Amino acid sequence: MVRALRGMAAAVLLALVIGGSFATGRQLRQSVAGPIGSRVTALPGVGIGAGAGLMPGFAQSDDTSPASTFQDVYTYVKQQYVDRVDNDQKLGFGAVRSMLAALDDPKTRFYDPAQKQRLINELAGNYSGIGAVLTVVKEKRGEVEQNRLAVVAPVPGGPADRAGIRPGDVINYIDKRWVIAYDPRYDLSQLRLNRANAVQYDKEWKDATKRLADGISLPKALDVLSSTQKPLQLVIERAGSPSPISVTVDPAPFVLKPAEYRRLNDHVGYLRITEFNDAAGAAIHEAAQDTQIHGLIVDLRDAAGGPIVGTSPLPIAAQDLLGAFTRGGVVANLVTKGNERQSIAVSGEHHPVKLAVLINRGTANIAEVVAAALKERGGAVLIGSRSFGDAIYQRLVPLRDDTAMTLTAGKFFTATGGDFGKKGIAPDIAMAVGGPQPDDAAVRRALGVVEG
Amino acid sequence: MRRRLARYMAVLVLVALPMFVGFAGPDVSSGRWDRVAGSASGVLRELLTTPAAAARDENTVPFEAYKQALDVLKHDYYGPPIDAKKTRDLTYAAIRGMLYTLNDPFTSFLDPDEWTQMQQTTRGDFEGIGAVLEPYGQDVRVVRPIEGSPAYRAGLKPHDVIYSVTNYDHGAKKTTVVLGKNINDVVKLIKGPQGTPVDVAVIRKGHSAPITFHLIRAHIEPPTVRYWMEDPKNKIGRILLNEFNEKSDAQFDKAYQALMAKGMRGLIFDLRYNPGGLLNVAIDIGSRFIDSGPVVIIQEKNGQRQAYGARVRKHHVNVPVVVLINESSASASEIVAGAIKDNKAGILVGTHTFGKGLVQTLFPLSDGSALRLTTAKYFTPKGNDISNKYDEEHRPIFGTGGIKPDVVVTQPDTFTSLDWAEENKKNDAQLKKAIEILRTRLAQNPGRNPQ
């Protein structure tokens, strides 16, 4: 699934390296003094040194904008490539995918029509694949920057959740294929000081190359996890677990209600929100209309957020919730391109009840905005564990040919200007919590708070 | 690492470039095989008249897609500003992504830096210290010094790992430690004009501290062909070909004659690690091994196939031949190996070859970058496509392309060097097999007179 599919990935370039590494591998010789140079005898024919001046049409053109370079390459491909190239859409998809990947920003990426459709479905609560919101976490280990595939949150009740996958888990292997996080040949630098044994070094080199060759690239891994219909065996790394954990996730398409409301007793309501989409509106309205309650528990555990559709940075469902259960006014702040600051305000009929909000590591992004607003503007008590710490305003932008891109469009701050990026939001009452359910210890604790 | 591998590719395709440029041959039907000559001018004219810019279409689907996404970034991206430099970088990434969809690892885009560096590498390496280098893990090491070069005379040895390079710029001494550096950067530091000094320090097994060599750069013309009598008792000669350049055929001829003068009865033709070169030279050398018929079949974009046939050569190889090949024998090497195999003109020993049956052309672009594009394919005389297939992640599927040896011999793990010095021969199982095959063959035909 990968609703947010926030990970882009070392992407295309990484895969290119894999292709390239076989070209000649380490065996290709290069000479300081020459063999290659002699080949060049034929090159003056193409005017290698002349560069741009060679081509008529280019020579007269002072148009050296990147755009014209793009067009020239396209034209050569169409006219000169050995095979007929007629899928222009595919060329365009490749161009945009790679361009966005070059930003090296996991939140800005391209969605082809199939990926876009899956995303739209998932935002509506129709999940496929393993059912987890994933992200790519950059992590520096020694000198090497690694891109690691991490779980923001499993979708409650989904295949990943049932298999025991938890927020923060890092997926290292999919069906025994290593999820390529970096070029393992970097590890060989460790052997540099110990190079007396050339045989061992060569063996290590071959092993590393094989590991890379047999691995699965991040974009591919994201696609597989989001669309698989077959069971997948995953090896995950979990903080606090000394050894890797192997789980099998048996995917099945399933529908999750983005929100549900119920009474816990005569005076306390329980509102679970996993996704702030339009379909969540009904449950939120139900809670807002329930005049019998004095207290409300808002369960935002494993509410992992996702790209925001439409022009409003705060989804309507979140506006409705905050309109009903805060004093109104500014509930969050947003900084966009060029450091432009804007305040996000809501209004509505205030329903003054005692609030407790359940959060955990899987509470991310818009759910963190909401949790902070309920606390700062509605007096809510936050219970559970520290939230994920994703403050990026990520928009879903439709593009031509039924494609889309997600875009890093800004950064959220809380109503009082608090920055929860990376570090997350700390609970007022800290306790270990799992995924959302209406009757666990965290809910009982929350019940005590709102009834007390 | 990513950068480094990209550079290897650059070198590889450069090898393939002259194959196209240096080629101007007659149609197979004309029968004038002797005129397959390396004149660049014909192709040059073709390139000059390519109407790419004129035909440029402003409203193509890929361009609109690229432009739309770029506009979104320019207007709304929250991050480092999308300024002119960033726009250029993003565009280059878009171009690479577009080319990536062709699923052809030999087609690529060279940004101005890469293009400049490629030209410098190719132009400048006639002057230097005369050491063949190879990447070694993260580092760079000596494959072998070229005979007679400053590196050779000073005593650089195979397997020396380059530790540091010291240059003297107007008397100012500057030392750079190069461990972990890209091979091209190391080459750039070592290269320089004839007559200038450079110090190279190397790490050598058995020495606790780097050893420094003081060298004066020289003009170097390394032989592309090396030869010797590998088995003097049985008169088995060996010719090694590093690449297919304009001197290769003449040098091969000289080597062959020299060995024949010593009574050679069997020939080991070593094409291992030979990345290719000029197409016409491949045809020339291939022609020395086969009697008649095509050496290679070229297919241009229009799908039309042309066979390029064997030329009548003054010195035709007429002793039993074993050709050594491995996974780094590519392009022109595969043409020759394929021709020999299809014509049963020799026995191929070693491992499956690289699998590159494609010809690239370089197109310089207006902003100083360049496009390297696959423009033709070639096939062996029997019409076999030797190009590897690639999986969806652009990884070659081994065995789908390349030339299969008649006798498969994999090197043992102890074989770690490209240096053919005596001490390494004991680990060279492929060479041993070649000698064994020729000995057996010669024993069966003791009376054969090679002349």
Side-chain angles (χ1 to χ4, degrees):
Chain A
M1 104 128 196
V2 187
R3 171 177 24 162
L5 259 194
R6 307 192 219 175
M8 184 29 214
V12 171
L13 275 176
L14 187 55
L16 269 175
V17 169
I18 297 161
S21 65
F22 287 97
T24 42
R26 56 184 289 255
Q27 311 286 19
L28 189 83
R29 290 160 291 171
Q30 185 168 21
S31 165
V32 172
I36 289 163
S38 45
R39 280 179 213 122
V40 168
T41 43
L43 285 180
V46 270
I48 229 174
L54 230 202
M55 310 301 290
F58 289 159
Q60 287 91 36
S61 170
D62 41 6
D63 177 12
T64 57
S65 74
S68 66
T69 302
F70 183 95
Q71 288 169 305
D72 289 341
V73 169
Y74 168 79
T75 307
Y76 277 126
V77 166
K78 293 293 274 191
Q79 294 182 353
Q80 306 276 335
Y81 190 69
V82 63
D83 294 326
R84 202 180 144 80
V85 178
D86 40 29
N87 194 341
D88 273 8
Q89 248 183 23
K90 193 173 155 197
L91 293 175
F93 293 174
V96 178
R97 190 189 306 280
S98 169
M99 179 168 73
L100 298 185
L103 288 169
D104 201 21
D105 170 356
K107 291 259 188 179
T108 299
R109 69 166 296 221
F110 174 74
Y111 288 76
D112 67 27
Q115 291 169 326
K116 179 190 175 190
Q117 193 50 52
R118 228 158 39 218
L119 181 67
I120 300 284
N121 289 344
E122 285 160 359
L123 289 171
N126 300 310
Y127 298 94
S128 56
I130 68 161
V133 178
L134 303 171
T135 190
V136 173
V137 178
K138 288 180 182 295
E139 199 175 287
K140 197 127 182 168
R141 288 195 171 182
E143 286 177 29
V144 185
E145 186 171 69
Q146 302 197 2
N147 289 299
R148 316 198 73 209
L149 187 55
V151 175
V152 179
V155 178
D161 191 24
R162 289 197 303 271
I165 287 174
R166 294 305 309 143
D169 285 353
V170 171
I171 299 172
N172 282 337
Y173 290 89
I174 299 171
D175 278 351
K176 298 196 172 134
R177 292 178 72 189
W178 180 54
V179 179
I180 300 167
Y182 68 106
D183 188 331
R185 285 170 295 196
Y186 278 117
D187 290 345
L188 297 176
S189 59
Q190 302 305 315
L191 287 172
R192 189 185 289 160
L193 298 170
N194 186 26
R195 64 160 52 77
N197 189 341
V199 174
Q200 188 205 349
Y201 193 97
D202 267 48
K203 188 183 170 304
E204 301 270 353
W205 175 275
K206 278 179 196 152
D207 288 352
T209 305
K210 186 171 184 324
R211 193 173 174 215
L212 192 60
D214 294 345
I216 179 167
S217 69
L218 277 168
K220 185 82 189 159
L222 286 165
D223 253 9
V224 166
L225 293 171
S226 69
S227 63
T228 183
Q229 294 178 357
K230 290 181 301 193
L232 294 178
Q233 197 220 343
L234 308 181
V235 175
I236 57 181
E237 191 180 307
R238 180 174 296 166
S241 169
S243 54
I245 301 163
S246 180
V247 294
T248 301
V249 183
D250 198 355
F254 74 104
V255 179
L256 174 73
K257 275 188 162 173
E260 60 169 334
Y261 176 73
R262 70 166 75 174
R263 280 280 195 83
L264 292 182
N265 59 36
D266 286 350
H267 306 294
V268 178
Y270 169 87
L271 176 63
R272 190 259 313 156
I273 306 172
T274 309
E275 184 79 65
F276 287 91
N277 59 22
D278 291 349
I284 290 167
H285 279 251
E286 209 182 319
Q289 304 297 317
D290 190 346
T291 53
Q292 304 293 307
I293 55 168
H294 314 305
L296 177 68
I297 298 166
V298 181
D299 196 344
L300 295 177
R301 288 178 290 178
D302 291 353
I308 291 164
V309 186
T311 50
S312 168
L314 199 59
I316 304 291
Q319 290 179 29
D320 289 350
L321 178 72
L322 296 177
F325 295 104
T326 69
R327 297 186 295 278
V330 174
V331 292
N333 288 288
L334 177 65
V335 175
T336 55
K337 182 182 165 65
N339 251 347
E340 270 190 54
R341 183 172 280 268
Q342 65 183 89
S343 294
I344 301 168
V346 299
S347 58
E349 194 184 331
H350 188 200
H351 190 18
V353 297
K354 282 198 95 169
L355 292 169
V357 178
L358 301 180
I359 58 174
N360 69 357
R361 174 105 205 252
T363 305
N365 201 248
I366 212 69
E368 291 177 288
V369 173
V370 167
L374 288 172
K375 175 179 173 168
E376 292 180 355
R377 304 290 300 164
V381 175
L382 305 183
I383 300 169
S385 49
R386 188 177 279 279
S387 66
F388 191 80
D390 175 7
I392 295 300
Y393 167 40
Q394 185 193 29
R395 268 173 59 200
L396 181 69
V397 183
L399 297 175
R400 54 170 293 141
D401 299 323
D402 200 25
T403 64
M405 66 186 277
T406 51
L407 175 75
T408 298
K411 183 178 175 184
F412 287 114
F413 294 83
T414 70
T416 58
D419 179 1
F420 58 92
K422 293 202 172 71
K423 59 181 189 286
I425 297 169
D428 300 307
I429 299 171
M431 62 186 293
V433 291
Q437 22 178 321
D439 55 358
D440 66 353
V443 172
R444 286 194 293 278
R445 185 68 198 264
L447 203 54
V449 168
V450 295
E451 283 183 328
Chain B
M1 179 61 66
R2 181 183 296 174
R3 238 182 132 70
R4 196 147 125 188
L5 289 168
R7 296 257 193 275
Y8 302 171
M9 293 286 294
V11 173
L12 179 75
V13 178
L14 180 66
V15 173
L17 166 72
M19 300 177 66
F20 186 81
V21 171
F23 185 77
D27 188 277
V28 66
S29 58
S30 74
R32 296 172 64 183
W33 314 122
D34 57 324
R35 284 184 54 194
V36 183
S39 157
S41 58
V43 178
L44 174 62
R45 272 197 300 279
E46 215 176 288
L47 283 176
L48 281 169
T49 51
T50 301
R56 194 196 281 164
D57 184 349
E58 300 290 326
N59 300 312
T60 65
V61 169
F63 180 71
E64 291 297 319
Y66 145 79
K67 198 166 173 306
Q68 186 186 31
L70 186 61
D71 283 347
V72 170
L73 293 179
K74 283 186 168 176
H75 287 124
D76 287 332
Y77 184 61
Y78 176 74
I82 312 296
D83 54 15
K85 186 188 175 298
K86 193 78 186 168
T87 301
R88 198 193 77 152
D89 292 349
L90 290 173
T91 302
Y92 289 174
I95 290 170
R96 292 194 165 103
M98 179 164 67
L99 297 176
Y100 184 76
T101 64
L102 297 172
N103 203 0
D104 170 7
F106 305 105
T107 285
S108 64
F109 175 77
L110 303 168
D111 68 28
D113 286 349
E114 290 164 339
W115 182 216
T116 303
Q117 187 159 356
M118 185 198 271
Q119 295 167 59
Q120 277 172 358
T121 306
T122 53
R123 273 202 304 264
D125 57 7
F126 290 97
E127 294 183 344
I129 64 165
V132 180
L133 303 181
E134 68 179 343
Y136 181 63
Q138 291 251 299
D139 306 326
V140 175
R141 74 175 181 184
V142 176
V143 176
R144 61 186 163 83
I146 291 162
E147 262 177 62
S149 69
Y152 183 87
R153 292 195 301 272
L156 258 81
K157 290 195 170 149
H159 284 199
D160 283 350
V161 172
I162 311 292
Y163 173 74
S164 70
V165 180
T166 305
N167 271 296
Y168 299 86
D169 187 19
H170 299 99
K173 189 171 164 180
K174 188 168 182 291
T175 300
T176 312
V177 174
V178 298
L179 288 180
K181 275 206 186 325
N182 177 309
I183 187 167
N184 285 286
D185 293 339
V186 177
V187 167
K188 224 164 148 183
L189 284 169
I190 295 178
K191 272 180 350 191
Q194 185 174 358
T196 57
V198 60
D199 295 347
V200 175
V202 302
I203 298 170
R204 182 175 293 173
K205 197 173 163 181
H207 293 254
S208 54
I211 312 164
T212 302
F213 294 92
H214 305 284
L215 304 157
I216 304 292
R217 298 181 179 103
H219 180 260
I220 290 153
E221 252 193 71
T224 56
V225 171
R226 287 177 295 148
Y227 66 95
W228 54 82
M229 202 58 91
E230 187 71 51
D231 180 351
K233 188 168 155 261
N234 294 293
K235 303 279 186 210
I236 296 170
R238 180 174 174 200
I239 297 179
L240 274 104
L241 188 63
N242 285 343
E243 60 181 11
F244 291 83
N245 65 33
E246 291 196 336
K247 294 179 190 131
S248 300
D249 185 52
Q251 287 190 12
F252 179 92
D253 191 36
K254 201 176 130 209
Y256 179 73
Q257 290 190 61
L259 289 169
M260 290 307 283
K262 289 180 187 167
M264 174 165 71
R265 295 175 61 220
L267 171 64
I268 296 167
F269 185 32
D270 198 338
L271 288 175
R272 292 176 297 176
Y273 305 104
N274 183 324
L278 291 159
L279 176 57
N280 62 312
V281 176
I283 293 169
D284 284 350
I285 291 179
S287 300
R288 295 183 179 276
F289 291 87
I290 65 174
D291 297 328
S292 62
V295 173
V296 65
I297 296 162
I298 306 285
Q299 180 177 310
E300 305 285 351
K301 182 182 172 65
N302 57 20
Q304 201 183 332
R305 289 190 182 194
Q306 289 196 352
Y308 291 96
R311 301 174 54 203
V312 176
R313 304 309 307 264
K314 196 171 158 200
H315 298 107
H316 196 272
V317 174
N318 57 356
V319 294
V321 173
V322 170
V323 182
L324 288 176
I325 50 174
N326 68 4
E327 63 284 354
S328 297
S329 304
S331 291
S333 295
E334 294 177 293
I335 289 181
V336 172
I340 290 173
K341 184 180 178 176
D342 281 5
N343 286 281
K344 295 191 165 46
I347 296 163
L348 272 48
V349 173
T351 52
H352 214 105
T353 60
F354 179 74
K356 178 175 182 289
L358 302 167
V359 180
Q360 282 76 37
T361 304
L362 276 161
F363 297 99
L365 300 169
S366 56
D367 66 346
S369 58
L371 170 66
R372 178 173 50 201
L373 192 69
T374 299
T375 49
K377 289 181 182 177
Y378 54 79
F379 301 87
T380 69
K382 284 189 176 168
N384 294 323
D385 184 355
I386 64 155
S387 286
N388 285 318
K389 305 285 181 287
Y390 291 83
D391 71 13
E392 55 194 359
E393 292 186 43
H394 291 208
R395 298 185 287 215
I397 304 165
F398 287 113
T400 56
I403 309 251
K404 196 169 164 266
D406 298 305
V407 181
V408 178
V409 180
T410 309
Q411 296 288 38
D413 284 346
T414 47
F415 180 82
T416 57
S417 176
L418 309 188
D419 174 47
W420 305 123
E422 226 32 71
E423 61 178 277
N424 293 312
K425 282 184 187 169
K426 64 178 189 299
N427 297 321
D428 192 344
Q430 292 164 348
L431 177 65
K432 283 182 190 167
K433 187 71 189 177
I435 294 169
E436 182 197 314
I437 288 171
L438 284 173
R439 277 178 186 162
T440 309
R441 176 95 185 264
L442 294 173
Q444 284 161 356
N445 300 295
R448 182 185 161 126
N449 179 355
Q451 299 304 315

